[in-house]
Amino acid sequence: RIAVAHHVPCENCSYCKDGHETTCEQLRSTNIDPGGFAEFIRVPAANVQNGLHPLPNSMSYETGTFVEPLGCVIRGQRSANIRKDDTLLIIGCGITGILHLKLALTKEVRRVYMTDVDDFRLQLAKKFGASVTINAKDGPSQAILATRVIVCTGSQDALTRGLSCLDRGGVMLYFAGPKSGVSMPIAMPTLKDEITFTTSYGASPKNMHEAIKMLTDKLITVEDMVTHKLPLGKAQEGFNLTVKPEKSLKIIICPSEK
């Protein structure tokens, strides 16, 4: 059993050698064909060479579906330099928001705030270890002063809230952006605050290996994030749940399910 990376870097260009593998031109041009829901897929030679990641027999297929998203989260937190003494604000309690929470807890981050507009997902965030959860519809999160902010939703409001909560010298990781070409005006902080604004995309082979190890060693558990397992015939229902969450978080399509 293996996890197949849909994009892979060349690991030889200047971007890869500088630690920016996910900006590599090859990564932007490689993909599996026709897609993950097909009975059979074509895997390009570059992906076979550098994008096939063996999974231990002890790992379930359900857990295996988290390898790539966790790899992305690992890369993002490296970019934001998440540290033990940080006060962290995570905006958005979807799959990546919860994975950011779980990874931050392995680093013993001092305090983790999480905001969302969905009460069910806020309850899950609290269950999984968030220090404080706030419904963004009910109250201002501006009272929070965080040394690190991770934005896991592409809304204008999330970006504005995140910047307003960022402490001087802090770092904001814009983990989920808007659609390409969308312009979002923001009120820039004063230069005296010396904040850092950074982005992150995808996962390198190294990030994928680290994700597999963390899942194998149970440093991060993800089975409790799965709320729905649906047969292939109900794939559309799964997509509908991701668009309008109704007590759902991680939805897995299982071809073997009846």
Side-chain angles (χ1 to χ4, degrees), residues 93-157:
C93 297
I95 296 170
T96 56
I98 296 296
L99 285 175
H100 272 295
L101 167 66
K102 291 198 173 202
L103 182 59
L105 293 178
T106 69
K107 301 176 181 181
E108 300 181 348
V109 170
R110 179 174 56 185
R111 196 163 181 80
V112 182
Y113 295 89
M114 297 195 71
T115 69
D116 202 288
V117 295
D118 184 89
D119 285 328
F120 174 73
R121 292 191 170 186
L122 286 168
Q123 291 170 9
L124 289 179
K126 190 67 176 178
K127 170 187 172 183
F128 295 143
S131 309
V132 178
T133 58
I134 300 170
N135 192 312
K137 295 185 297 185
D138 296 339
S141 54
Q142 281 80 358
I144 300 170
L145 199 58
T147 57
R148 297 290 186 274
V149 174
I150 301 176
V151 179
C152 295
T153 173
S155 73
Q156 167 77 51
D157 183 62

Coordinates of all heavy atoms in Angstrom, one line a residue, residues 93-157:
C93 N -12.0 25.8 11.5 CA -11.9 24.5 12.2 C -12.2 23.4 11.2 O -12.9 22.4 11.7 CB -12.8 24.5 13.4 SG -12.4 25.7 14.7
G94 N -11.9 23.5 10.0 CA -12.0 22.4 9.1 C -10.9 21.4 9.2 O -10.2 21.4 10.3
I95 N -10.7 20.5 8.3 CA -9.7 19.5 8.4 C -8.3 20.1 8.6 O -7.6 19.6 9.6 CB -9.7 18.6 7.1 CG1 -11.0 17.9 6.9 CG2 -8.5 17.6 7.1 CD1 -11.2 17.2 5.6
T96 N -7.9 21.0 7.8 CA -6.6 21.6 8.0 C -6.4 22.3 9.3 O -5.4 22.3 10.0 CB -6.1 22.5 6.8 OG1 -7.1 23.5 6.7 CG2 -6.0 21.6 5.6
G97 N -7.5 23.1 9.7 CA -7.4 23.8 11.0 C -7.2 22.8 12.2 O -6.4 23.1 13.1
I98 N -8.0 21.7 12.1 CA -7.8 20.7 13.2 C -6.5 20.0 13.2 O -5.8 19.8 14.2 CB -9.0 19.7 13.1 CG1 -10.3 20.3 13.4 CG2 -8.7 18.5 14.2 CD1 -10.5 20.9 14.7
L99 N -6.0 19.8 12.0 CA -4.6 19.2 11.9 C -3.6 20.2 12.4 O -2.6 19.8 13.0 CB -4.3 18.8 10.4 CG -5.0 17.5 9.9 CD1 -4.7 17.3 8.4 CD2 -4.6 16.3 10.7
H100 N -3.7 21.5 12.1 CA -2.8 22.5 12.6 C -2.9 22.4 14.2 O -1.8 22.6 14.8 CB -3.2 23.9 12.1 CG -2.5 24.2 10.8 ND1 -1.2 24.4 10.7 CD2 -3.1 24.5 9.6 CE1 -0.9 24.7 9.4 NE2 -2.0 24.7 8.7
L101 N -4.1 22.3 14.7 CA -4.2 22.2 16.2 C -3.4 21.0 16.7 O -2.7 21.1 17.7 CB -5.7 22.1 16.5 CG -6.0 21.7 18.0 CD1 -5.5 22.8 19.0 CD2 -7.5 21.4 18.1
K102 N -3.7 19.9 16.1 CA -3.1 18.6 16.6 C -1.5 18.7 16.5 O -0.8 18.2 17.4 CB -3.6 17.4 15.8 CG -5.1 17.1 16.2 CD -5.5 15.7 15.8 CE -6.9 15.4 16.2 NZ -7.2 14.0 16.4
L103 N -1.0 19.2 15.4 CA 0.4 19.4 15.2 C 1.0 20.3 16.3 O 2.0 20.1 16.9 CB 0.7 19.8 13.8 CG 2.2 19.9 13.5 CD1 3.0 18.6 13.7 CD2 2.5 20.4 12.1
A104 N 0.3 21.5 16.5 CA 0.7 22.4 17.5 C 0.8 21.8 18.9 O 1.7 22.1 19.6 CB -0.2 23.7 17.5
L105 N -0.1 21.0 19.2 CA -0.1 20.3 20.5 C 1.1 19.4 20.7 O 1.6 19.2 21.8 CB -1.4 19.6 20.7 CG -2.7 20.4 20.8 CD1 -4.0 19.6 21.0 CD2 -2.6 21.4 22.0
T106 N 1.5 18.8 19.6 CA 2.7 17.9 19.7 C 4.0 18.8 20.0 O 5.0 18.3 20.6 CB 3.0 17.1 18.4 OG1 3.4 18.0 17.4 CG2 1.8 16.3 18.0
K107 N 3.9 20.1 19.7 CA 5.0 21.0 20.0 C 4.8 21.7 21.3 O 5.6 22.6 21.7 CB 5.1 22.0 18.9 CG 5.3 21.4 17.5 CD 5.3 22.5 16.4 CE 5.6 21.9 15.0 NZ 5.6 22.9 14.0
E108 N 3.8 21.3 22.0 CA 3.5 21.9 23.4 C 3.3 23.4 23.3 O 3.7 24.1 24.2 CB 4.5 21.5 24.4 CG 4.7 20.0 24.6 CD 5.8 19.7 25.6 OE1 6.5 20.5 26.0 OE2 5.8 18.5 26.0
V109 N 2.6 23.9 22.2 CA 2.3 25.3 22.1 C 1.5 25.7 23.3 O 0.6 25.0 23.7 CB 1.6 25.6 20.8 CG1 1.1 27.0 20.8 CG2 2.5 25.4 19.6
R110 N 1.9 26.8 23.9 CA 1.3 27.3 25.2 C -0.2 27.4 25.2 O -0.9 27.0 26.1 CB 2.0 28.6 25.6 CG 1.5 29.1 26.9 CD 2.3 30.3 27.3 NE 2.3 31.4 26.3 CZ 3.0 32.5 26.3 NH1 3.9 32.7 27.4 NH2 3.0 33.4 25.4
R111 N -0.7 28.1 24.2 CA -2.1 28.4 24.1 C -2.6 28.4 22.7 O -2.0 29.1 21.9 CB -2.4 29.7 24.8 CG -3.9 29.9 25.2 CD -4.0 31.1 26.3 NE -5.3 31.3 26.7 CZ -6.0 30.6 27.6 NH1 -5.4 29.6 28.1 NH2 -7.2 30.9 28.0
V112 N -3.7 27.7 22.4 CA -4.3 27.7 21.0 C -5.7 28.1 21.0 O -6.6 27.5 21.6 CB -4.2 26.3 20.4 CG1 -4.7 26.3 19.0 CG2 -2.7 25.7 20.5
Y113 N -6.0 29.3 20.4 CA -7.3 29.7 20.2 C -7.8 29.3 18.8 O -7.0 29.2 17.9 CB -7.4 31.3 20.2 CG -7.0 31.9 21.5 CD1 -5.7 32.3 21.8 CD2 -8.0 32.3 22.4 CE1 -5.4 32.9 23.0 CE2 -7.7 32.9 23.6 CZ -6.4 33.2 23.9 OH -6.1 33.8 25.1
M114 N -9.1 28.9 18.7 CA -9.6 28.6 17.4 C -11.0 29.3 17.2 O -11.8 29.3 18.1 CB -9.8 27.1 17.3 CG -8.5 26.3 17.3 SD -8.6 24.6 16.8 CE -8.8 24.8 15.0
T115 N -11.2 29.8 16.0 CA -12.4 30.4 15.6 C -13.0 29.8 14.4 O -12.3 29.3 13.5 CB -12.3 32.0 15.4 OG1 -11.5 32.2 14.2 CG2 -11.5 32.6 16.5
D116 N -14.4 29.9 14.3 CA -15.1 29.4 13.2 C -16.5 29.9 13.3 O -16.8 30.6 14.3 CB -15.1 27.8 13.2 CG -15.4 27.2 11.8 OD1 -16.5 27.3 11.3 OD2 -14.4 26.7 11.2
V117 N -17.3 29.7 12.3 CA -18.7 30.1 12.3 C -19.7 28.9 12.5 O -20.9 29.1 12.6 CB -19.1 30.8 11.0 CG1 -18.4 32.1 10.9 CG2 -18.9 30.0 9.8
D118 N -19.1 27.7 12.6 CA -19.9 26.5 12.8 C -19.7 25.9 14.2 O -18.6 25.5 14.6 CB -19.4 25.4 11.7 CG -20.3 24.2 11.7 OD1 -21.3 24.2 11.1 OD2 -19.9 23.2 12.5
D119 N -20.8 25.8 14.9 CA -20.7 25.3 16.3 C -20.2 23.9 16.4 O -19.5 23.6 17.4 CB -22.0 25.5 17.0 CG -22.3 27.0 17.4 OD1 -21.4 27.7 17.7 OD2 -23.5 27.3 17.4
F120 N -20.6 23.0 15.5 CA -20.2 21.6 15.6 C -18.7 21.5 15.5 O -18.1 20.8 16.2 CB -20.9 20.8 14.5 CG -20.4 19.4 14.4 CD1 -20.8 18.5 15.3 CD2 -19.6 19.0 13.3 CE1 -20.4 17.1 15.2 CE2 -19.1 17.7 13.3 CZ -19.5 16.8 14.2
R121 N -18.1 22.2 14.5 CA -16.7 22.2 14.4 C -15.9 22.8 15.5 O -14.8 22.4 15.9 CB -16.3 22.8 13.0 CG -16.8 21.9 11.8 CD -16.2 22.3 10.5 NE -16.5 21.4 9.5 CZ -16.1 21.4 8.3 NH1 -15.3 22.4 7.9 NH2 -16.4 20.5 7.4
L122 N -16.5 23.8 16.1 CA -15.9 24.4 17.3 C -15.9 23.4 18.5 O -15.0 23.4 19.2 CB -16.7 25.7 17.7 CG -16.4 26.9 16.8 CD1 -17.4 28.0 17.1 CD2 -15.0 27.5 17.0
Q123 N -17.0 22.6 18.6 CA -17.0 21.6 19.6 C -15.9 20.6 19.4 O -15.3 20.1 20.4 CB -18.4 20.9 19.6 CG -19.6 21.8 20.1 CD -20.9 21.2 19.8 OE1 -21.0 20.1 19.4 NE2 -22.0 22.0 20.0
L124 N -15.7 20.2 18.1 CA -14.6 19.3 17.8 C -13.3 19.9 18.2 O -12.4 19.2 18.8 CB -14.7 18.9 16.4 CG -15.8 18.0 15.9 CD1 -15.7 17.7 14.4 CD2 -15.8 16.7 16.7
A125 N -13.1 21.1 17.9 CA -11.8 21.8 18.2 C -11.6 21.8 19.7 O -10.4 21.5 20.1 CB -11.8 23.2 17.7
K126 N -12.6 22.0 20.5 CA -12.5 22.0 21.9 C -12.1 20.6 22.4 O -11.3 20.3 23.2 CB -13.8 22.5 22.6 CG -13.6 22.7 24.1 CD -12.7 23.9 24.4 CE -12.7 24.2 25.9 NZ -11.7 25.2 26.2
K127 N -12.8 19.6 21.8 CA -12.6 18.2 22.2 C -11.2 17.8 21.8 O -10.6 17.0 22.6 CB -13.6 17.3 21.4 CG -13.3 15.8 21.4 CD -14.2 15.1 20.5 CE -13.8 13.6 20.4 NZ -14.6 12.9 19.4
F128 N -10.6 18.3 20.8 CA -9.3 17.9 20.3 C -8.2 18.7 21.0 O -7.0 18.4 20.8 CB -9.1 18.0 18.8 CG -10.0 17.0 18.1 CD1 -10.6 17.5 16.9 CD2 -10.2 15.8 18.5 CE1 -11.4 16.6 16.1 CE2 -11.1 14.9 17.8 CZ -11.6 15.3 16.6
G129 N -8.5 19.6 21.9 CA -7.5 20.2 22.7 C -7.3 21.7 22.6 O -6.4 22.3 23.2
A130 N -8.2 22.4 21.8 CA -8.0 23.9 21.8 C -8.2 24.5 23.1 O -9.1 24.1 23.9 CB -9.1 24.5 20.8
S131 N -7.4 25.5 23.5 CA -7.5 26.2 24.8 C -8.9 26.9 24.9 O -9.6 26.9 25.9 CB -6.4 27.1 25.0 OG -5.1 26.5 24.7
V132 N -9.2 27.7 23.8 CA -10.4 28.5 23.8 C -11.0 28.4 22.4 O -10.2 28.5 21.4 CB -10.1 30.0 24.1 CG1 -11.3 30.8 24.0 CG2 -9.5 30.1 25.5
T133 N -12.3 28.3 22.2 CA -12.9 28.3 20.9 C -13.9 29.5 20.9 O -14.6 29.8 21.9 CB -13.7 27.0 20.6 OG1 -14.7 26.8 21.7 CG2 -12.7 25.9 20.6
I134 N -14.0 30.2 19.8 CA -14.8 31.4 19.6 C -15.6 31.3 18.3 O -15.0 31.1 17.3 CB -14.0 32.7 19.6 CG1 -13.2 32.8 20.9 CG2 -14.8 33.9 19.4 CD1 -12.1 33.9 20.9
N135 N -16.9 31.5 18.4 CA -17.8 31.6 17.2 C -17.6 33.0 16.7 O -18.0 33.9 17.3 CB -19.2 31.2 17.5 CG -20.0 31.1 16.2 OD1 -19.9 31.9 15.3 ND2 -20.8 30.0 16.2
A136 N -17.1 33.1 15.5 CA -16.8 34.4 14.9 C -18.0 35.2 14.7 O -18.0 36.4 14.5 CB -16.1 34.2 13.6
K137 N -19.2 34.5 14.7 CA -20.5 35.3 14.5 C -20.9 35.9 15.8 O -21.7 36.9 15.8 CB -21.6 34.4 14.0 CG -21.3 33.8 12.6 CD -22.5 33.0 12.1 CE -22.8 31.8 13.0 NZ -23.8 30.9 12.4
D138 N -20.5 35.4 16.9 CA -21.0 35.8 18.2 C -20.2 36.9 18.9 O -20.8 37.7 19.7 CB -21.1 34.6 19.2 CG -22.1 33.6 18.7 OD1 -23.0 33.9 17.9 OD2 -22.0 32.4 19.1
G139 N -18.9 37.0 18.7 CA -18.1 37.9 19.4 C -16.8 38.2 18.7 O -16.4 37.4 17.9
P140 N -16.2 39.4 19.0 CA -15.0 39.7 18.4 C -13.8 38.9 18.9 O -13.7 38.6 20.1 CB -14.8 41.2 18.8 CG -15.6 41.3 20.1 CD -16.7 40.4 20.0
S141 N -13.0 38.5 18.0 CA -11.8 37.8 18.4 C -10.6 38.8 18.5 O -9.5 38.4 18.8 CB -11.4 36.7 17.3 OG -11.3 37.3 16.0
Q142 N -10.9 40.1 18.3 CA -9.8 41.1 18.4 C -9.2 41.1 19.8 O -8.1 41.7 19.9 CB -10.3 42.4 18.0 CG -10.4 42.6 16.5 CD -11.7 42.0 15.9 OE1 -12.5 41.4 16.6 NE2 -11.9 42.1 14.6
A143 N -9.9 40.6 20.8 CA -9.3 40.7 22.1 C -8.1 39.7 22.3 O -7.3 39.8 23.2 CB -10.4 40.3 23.2
I144 N -8.0 38.8 21.3 CA -6.9 37.8 21.3 C -5.6 38.5 20.8 O -5.7 39.3 19.8 CB -7.2 36.6 20.4 CG1 -8.4 35.9 21.0 CG2 -6.0 35.7 20.4 CD1 -9.0 34.8 20.0
L145 N -4.5 38.3 21.4 CA -3.3 38.8 20.9 C -2.3 37.6 20.7 O -1.9 37.0 21.7 CB -2.7 39.8 21.9 CG -1.6 40.8 21.3 CD1 -2.1 41.6 20.1 CD2 -1.1 41.7 22.4
A146 N -2.1 37.2 19.5 CA -1.4 36.0 19.2 C 0.0 36.3 18.6 O 0.1 37.2 17.8 CB -2.2 35.1 18.3
T147 N 1.0 35.5 18.9 CA 2.3 35.6 18.3 C 2.3 34.9 17.0 O 3.2 35.2 16.1 CB 3.4 35.0 19.2 OG1 3.1 33.6 19.5 CG2 3.5 35.8 20.5
R148 N 1.4 34.0 16.8 CA 1.3 33.3 15.5 C -0.2 33.2 15.1 O -1.0 32.8 16.0 CB 1.9 31.9 15.5 CG 3.4 31.9 15.8 CD 4.2 32.4 14.6 NE 5.6 32.2 14.8 CZ 6.4 33.1 15.4 NH1 5.9 34.2 16.0 NH2 7.7 32.9 15.5
V149 N -0.5 33.4 13.9 CA -1.9 33.3 13.4 C -1.9 32.4 12.1 O -1.1 32.7 11.2 CB -2.5 34.7 13.0 CG1 -3.9 34.5 12.4 CG2 -2.7 35.5 14.3
I150 N -2.7 31.4 12.1 CA -2.9 30.6 10.9 C -4.3 30.8 10.3 O -5.2 30.5 11.0 CB -2.6 29.1 11.2 CG1 -1.2 28.9 11.8 CG2 -2.7 28.3 9.9 CD1 -0.8 27.5 12.2
V151 N -4.4 31.2 9.1 CA -5.7 31.4 8.5 C -6.0 30.3 7.6 O -5.3 30.0 6.6 CB -5.7 32.8 7.7 CG1 -7.1 33.0 7.0 CG2 -5.4 33.9 8.6
C152 N -7.0 29.5 7.9 CA -7.4 28.3 7.2 C -8.7 28.5 6.4 O -9.4 27.5 6.1 CB -7.5 27.1 8.1 SG -6.0 26.6 8.9
T153 N -9.0 29.7 6.0 CA -10.2 29.9 5.2 C -9.9 31.2 4.4 O -9.1 32.0 4.8 CB -11.4 30.2 6.1 OG1 -12.5 30.6 5.2 CG2 -11.2 31.3 7.1
G154 N -10.4 31.2 3.2 CA -10.0 32.2 2.2 C -10.9 33.5 2.2 O -10.8 34.3 1.3
S155 N -11.6 33.7 3.3 CA -12.5 34.9 3.3 C -11.8 36.2 3.7 O -10.8 36.1 4.4 CB -13.7 34.7 4.3 OG -13.2 34.8 5.7
Q156 N -12.3 37.3 3.2 CA -11.7 38.6 3.5 C -11.8 38.8 5.0 O -10.8 39.3 5.6 CB -12.5 39.7 2.8 CG -12.3 41.1 3.3 CD -11.0 41.6 2.8 OE1 -10.7 41.6 1.6 NE2 -10.2 42.2 3.6
D157 N -12.9 38.4 5.7 CA -13.1 38.7 7.1 C -12.0 37.9 7.9 O -11.5 38.5 8.9 CB -14.5 38.3 7.5 CG -14.7 38.5 9.0 OD1 -14.7 39.7 9.4 OD2 -15.0 37.6 9.7

